[in-house]
Amino acid sequence: MASCLESIKVESVTKRFGPNQVLDGITFDASAGESYCLWGPNGSGKSTLLKIIAGLLRPSKGKISYCASGKTGAPLTFRNNIGMSAPDIMMYEDLSLAENLDFLAKARALPRDARFEDELMDKFSLSGVKGRQLGACSSGMKRKFHLVCALAHKPSALLLDEPTSYMDDAGRAGAEEIVSSLKKDVILIVATNDHAEKAWCEAAIELRIKSAGGNR
Amino acid sequence: MPYIIGTFIFTIMSGVLCGAIWFTPPAKVLGETARVIYFHVPVAWISALAFSMSLWQSVQYLRTNNPEHDIRAEVSARLGLWFCVLATITGAVFAKAAWNMYWNWDPREVSITILLLVYMAYFGLRSAVSDPETRMRLAAVYDILASFAMPFLFFVVPRIYSSLHPDTVINSRGSNKILDHRMLLVFFAALIGFTLTYFWIYVLSIRVERLVRAREESDE
Amino acid sequence: MNYVSKVLAVIDKDVRSEYRSKYALNSALLFCVTSLVVVSFSLGGSVTDPRLQAALLWIILFFSSMMSLPRAFVKEQDCGTMNTLRLTCEPSQVFIGKMIINLLLLSVVTAIVSPLFFILFNISPPHPGFFIITAASAAVGLSAVCTLLSAIVAQARARGTLFPVLAFPVLMPVFMVAVEATGKSLLPQSPWANSQLLVFLACYAVVGIVGGSLLFEFVFNE
């Protein structure tokens, strides 16, 4: 791990897509060791908020700041501290699982912990298919592998969007086991509709669908 | 107040129009056709001004992310494009009268064609992006990228295409020898008049654009 | 060194996946060969003016790069891996990596197509060195600008038509100078008197790389 994140500050984040207001003044503060669940019906902006927290979307108004050892900055300046898994964030399907992991490790140029990677792969019983192209894997295996990719560089902020969707029971159990073992050191934010995933987190942030017509 | 400014601009422009037709004598080399310079040159100048303004506002947009700058950049680019079209047409008409050809790939004709293409591409890009924030960002980037290429263009084009342009004829021998003081008077009045007209349209268009965008946002 | 290996990671990944699918290279080569054959069928040996020959060669190369270069980011966008890149790599790292990939692609295509062109048009280039430097420096400028435009187009609709529309006016100076310089290299007299054309292409390449990497950040990061 580079330098550990101490906190993520979300300050009155608003997001609108054209005329549609999706998020309206979300504010919270997450410190290392805390875990939050973004909870709400479809269309309430859970995934959008998670993407904004990761720095993949720009909020219409408001600000996200990460804080690590006295330095604060925009999310992507701390990209090596972020581990994110979401249904629409893919890995390279024409590369094998091992090649994908290689790419991530080299592109980040962080010290690599091969034992930890193997452990993760074992936990999801993916070690046997390491050489297979990702495109040839089932949806469940892909989701498991995405989670492995999110965790492989030992991030100190875990942003997970429906992390166990498509997974079998063994996968869910493995995911829960890993996440709960990491939880005390990291900032965990999970966007989900799944009660089991919600149970990973200590606190929930409820999001509601905004009424149409903006905020006037 | 707007009425006073409007009337003022209207007066100057009518003066320029009358002056260009009746007050000035025909030019020595080019004869009656030279009267086009009272329109062609100011229009070309306005399009250069508008494009520079658009570039400046695009830079400001990337720096501040304030949509107001994008409004200004877009409005300037649109005005620049219109004035560029006018400059092309007035130029082509003059070329027909002077050399009996509407178009002969003289360096400035090449450059203006490419400018037209750049800003048509700019609006093509704008209409191809649906998310407003992405649209503003990408449009600003393209505007700036195009401006990086422009100096190369102005450097290379004259070396490859040979010039027929009359202003090299007019300017190279000292303008006062060929343009007499009445022509100069009307010429500079035209420059001022067109510039004022441009700013007037610019301010109005910004206000319209603001309203259009506000309505898009609050619709549905 | 650290940075270099980070860029190499991006290149390595793209080379691997291109090696498996060969999509970009195949489509660019097929396009080039087809249009080359069409051009030489329809014109035969009747084109003897070096400038015209140079123009034909560059038109073919230009349009083939219009087809293959946008893929750099369009593919990432379509496969949903753009966000993976954003979360993993610095913008400049991605820009340089993708630019080098595009440059490799363009070089391979040019290295295959130009000899074919010379054979079909029965030209034995009198100054191959000058031509190679021309093609190489034009390719650098072309790939820098196209990489940036590819990232722009990836976020838009109607990419196939939009890309050449955006690229043409910006690449015009390179195109004209490349045609001019190639034309000179096909004449019997020494083209080195026109080496300012090469300087021009080199300047464009430098501005393309610097400007491209400056602007890329705004395209890549939301």
Side-chain angles (χ1 to χ4, degrees):
Chain A
M1 245 178 281
S3 52
C4 271
L5 277 183
E6 282 144 22
S7 67
I8 299 177
K9 276 194 174 61
V10 178
E11 288 167 71
S12 51
V13 162
T14 299
K15 180 72 186 175
R16 54 192 318 149
F17 292 111
N20 301 324
Q21 177 103 16
V22 182
L23 296 169
D24 191 6
I26 307 282
T27 303
F28 70 97
D29 216 345
S31 312
E34 292 181 339
S35 49
Y36 288 89
C37 170
L38 308 179
W39 185 257
N42 296 138
S44 56
K46 301 186 294 292
S47 303
T48 305
L49 179 55
L50 206 62
K51 285 217 178 76
I52 290 176
I53 294 174
L56 297 175
L57 273 179
R58 200 197 295 262
S60 305
K61 285 201 188 87
K63 202 173 129 199
I64 309 286
S65 37
Y66 281 45
C67 181
S69 47
K71 279 187 292 185
T72 40
L76 284 183
T77 52
F78 294 94
R79 54 166 65 77
N80 283 341
N81 292 318
I82 302 176
M84 183 168 188
S85 159
D88 55 350
I89 297 183
M90 304 297 183
M91 296 305 302
Y92 296 93
E93 307 236 322
D94 37 16
L95 301 185
S96 70
L97 307 194
E99 284 171 330
N100 266 304
L101 284 174
D102 273 352
F103 164 66
L104 291 181
K106 285 184 191 147
R108 289 203 150 100
L110 294 177
R112 195 174 176 186
D113 185 346
R115 255 212 5 240
F116 181 63
E117 275 177 27
D118 289 341
E119 214 174 282
L120 288 173
M121 294 289 273
D122 276 338
K123 196 73 90 192
F124 288 113
S125 44
L126 290 172
S127 300
V129 292
K130 253 186 156 175
R132 196 190 287 184
Q133 283 192 20
L134 184 61
C137 292
S138 72
S139 329
M141 288 159 94
K142 281 183 198 165
R143 291 298 285 142
K144 288 175 183 171
F145 182 64
H146 292 165
L147 201 52
V148 172
C149 290
L151 297 168
H153 58 290
K154 299 188 177 175
S156 45
L158 267 184
L159 310 175
L160 308 176
D161 189 354
E162 314 224 345
T164 62
S165 57
Y166 289 106
M167 280 189 199
D168 52 20
D169 287 341
R172 283 166 200 260
E176 182 173 359
E177 197 182 314
I178 295 167
V179 170
S180 49
S181 75
L182 294 172
K183 219 165 79 176
K184 59 182 192 307
D185 302 316
V186 303
I187 302 167
L188 173 67
I189 302 177
V190 185
T192 187
N193 276 313
D194 183 313
H195 284 277
E197 288 172 6
K198 190 186 181 190
W200 298 356
C201 307
E202 269 116 42
I205 294 163
E206 301 258 351
L207 298 177
R208 257 179 279 281
I209 296 184
K210 311 305 165 293
S211 55
N215 51 354
R216 284 176 215 178
Chain B
M1 193 62 189
Y3 292 105
I4 300 173
I5 297 171
T7 319
F8 180 63
I9 292 173
F10 183 77
T11 319
I12 293 194
M13 290 306 281
S14 339
V16 167
L17 188 63
C18 300
I21 295 175
W22 292 298
F23 178 62
T24 55
K28 277 169 199 156
V29 184
L30 297 161
E32 298 288 345
T33 57
R35 295 187 196 281
V36 79
I37 67 157
Y38 306 118
F39 305 101
H40 177 66
V41 176
V43 160
W45 144 249
I46 295 301
S47 86
L49 182 70
F51 288 144
S52 319
M53 178 71 105
S54 172
L55 169 65
W56 169 243
Q57 296 294 347
S58 290
V59 173
Q60 291 301 311
Y61 176 76
L62 288 186
R63 280 184 44 197
T64 62
N65 280 316
N66 182 356
E68 180 63 25
H69 290 299
D70 181 69
I71 292 180
R72 292 182 188 178
E74 188 191 357
V75 163
S76 305
R78 198 187 297 139
L79 286 178
L81 196 54
W82 280 116
F83 278 94
C84 199
V85 169
L86 284 178
T88 314
I89 295 173
T90 49
V93 168
F94 173 74
K96 176 71 177 167
W99 309 301
N100 205 23
M101 252 170 39
Y102 284 113
W103 203 258
N104 35 53
W105 293 114
D106 139 298
R108 281 177 203 239
E109 286 172 344
V110 175
S111 314
I112 211 169
T113 311
I114 292 171
L115 261 183
L116 282 173
L117 288 176
V118 164
Y119 282 94
M120 286 196 284
Y122 172 84
F123 284 104
L125 175 63
R126 290 196 80 99
S127 61
V129 184
S130 44
D131 175 52
E133 277 159 35
T134 315
R135 183 195 308 139
M136 299 182 208
R137 201 156 38 81
L138 297 184
V141 168
Y142 186 70
D143 205 351
I144 298 168
L145 175 72
S147 76
F148 284 155
M150 283 306 127
F152 287 98
L153 199 68
F154 293 131
F155 177 79
V156 70
V157 168
R159 266 144 237 258
I160 295 187
Y161 300 85
S162 55
S163 179
L164 287 171
H165 222 79
D167 77 344
T168 40
V169 181
I170 293 174
N171 288 337
S172 59
R173 296 173 207 164
S175 41
N176 13 356
K177 280 191 190 150
I178 292 191
L179 292 176
D180 80 5
H181 63 280
R182 282 175 295 176
M183 295 166 85
L184 279 177
L185 177 71
V186 174
F187 181 73
F188 285 112
L191 275 184
I192 294 166
F194 271 95
T195 309
L196 288 175
T197 313
Y198 160 74
F199 277 110
W200 195 44
I201 303 175
Y202 176 64
V203 170
L204 285 178
S205 311
I206 288 173
R207 282 167 57 195
V208 171
E209 188 64 29
R210 265 185 217 141
L211 292 174
V212 168
R213 291 199 188 184
R215 195 183 61 188
E216 271 166 13
E217 257 193 19
S218 63
D219 247 7
E220 291 158 58
Chain C
M1 279 311 101
N2 199 354
Y3 186 77
V4 174
S5 66
K6 285 165 90 173
V7 172
L8 283 177
V10 177
I11 299 172
D12 177 63
K13 164 200 81 92
D14 272 1
V15 169
R16 273 167 202 272
S17 78
E18 176 59 29
Y19 180 75
R20 298 222 167 109
S21 66
K22 301 196 183 61
Y23 178 92
L25 189 59
N26 277 350
S27 58
L29 278 179
L30 279 176
F31 176 84
C32 276
V33 171
T34 314
S35 44
L36 195 56
V37 169
V38 169
V39 167
S40 61
F41 265 1
S42 45
L43 295 170
S46 65
V47 180
T48 48
D49 175 16
R51 207 181 125 97
L52 206 52
Q53 289 169 336
L56 284 176
L57 175 62
W58 278 101
I59 288 172
I60 293 171
L61 287 175
F62 184 78
F63 278 101
S64 94
S65 49
M66 292 299 101
M67 303 195 39
S68 51
L69 300 191
R71 204 172 135 77
F73 286 104
V74 167
K75 189 190 164 207
E76 302 270 356
Q77 186 84 17
D78 287 352
C79 297
T81 49
M82 197 72 143
N83 280 334
T84 309
L85 273 187
R86 288 195 183 111
L87 286 168
T88 325
C89 307
E90 291 157 39
S92 65
Q93 174 191 357
V94 176
F95 180 77
I96 303 286
K98 289 287 186 184
M99 194 196 88
I100 292 174
I101 284 292
N102 274 346
L103 184 59
L104 285 176
L105 188 65
L106 209 54
S107 317
V108 172
V109 170
T110 314
I112 295 175
V113 169
S114 341
L116 265 180
F117 181 87
F118 292 143
I119 292 169
L120 285 174
F121 281 82
N122 197 21
I123 307 165
S124 47
H127 306 286
F130 193 81
F131 171 71
I132 290 170
I133 298 176
T134 304
S137 40
V140 175
L142 212 67
S143 45
V145 169
C146 285
T147 303
L148 180 66
L149 289 176
S150 160
I152 292 181
V153 160
Q155 300 178 40
R157 291 167 302 196
R159 300 139 164 184
T161 41
L162 190 60
F163 189 80
V165 168
L166 295 180
F168 178 72
V170 181
L171 292 177
M172 199 59 199
V174 191
F175 183 75
M176 289 193 293
V177 174
V179 170
E180 191 76 8
T182 306
K184 294 274 191 278
S185 82
L186 297 180
L187 289 170
Q189 59 267 42
S190 167
W192 295 102
N194 297 292
S195 47
Q196 84 273 11
L197 293 174
L198 301 184
V199 174
F200 177 91
L201 288 175
C203 287
Y204 188 95
V206 170
V207 171
I209 293 172
V210 174
S213 45
L214 284 176
L215 289 173
F216 182 72
E217 207 179 320
F218 296 104
V219 180
F220 186 61
N221 286 345
E222 280 284 331

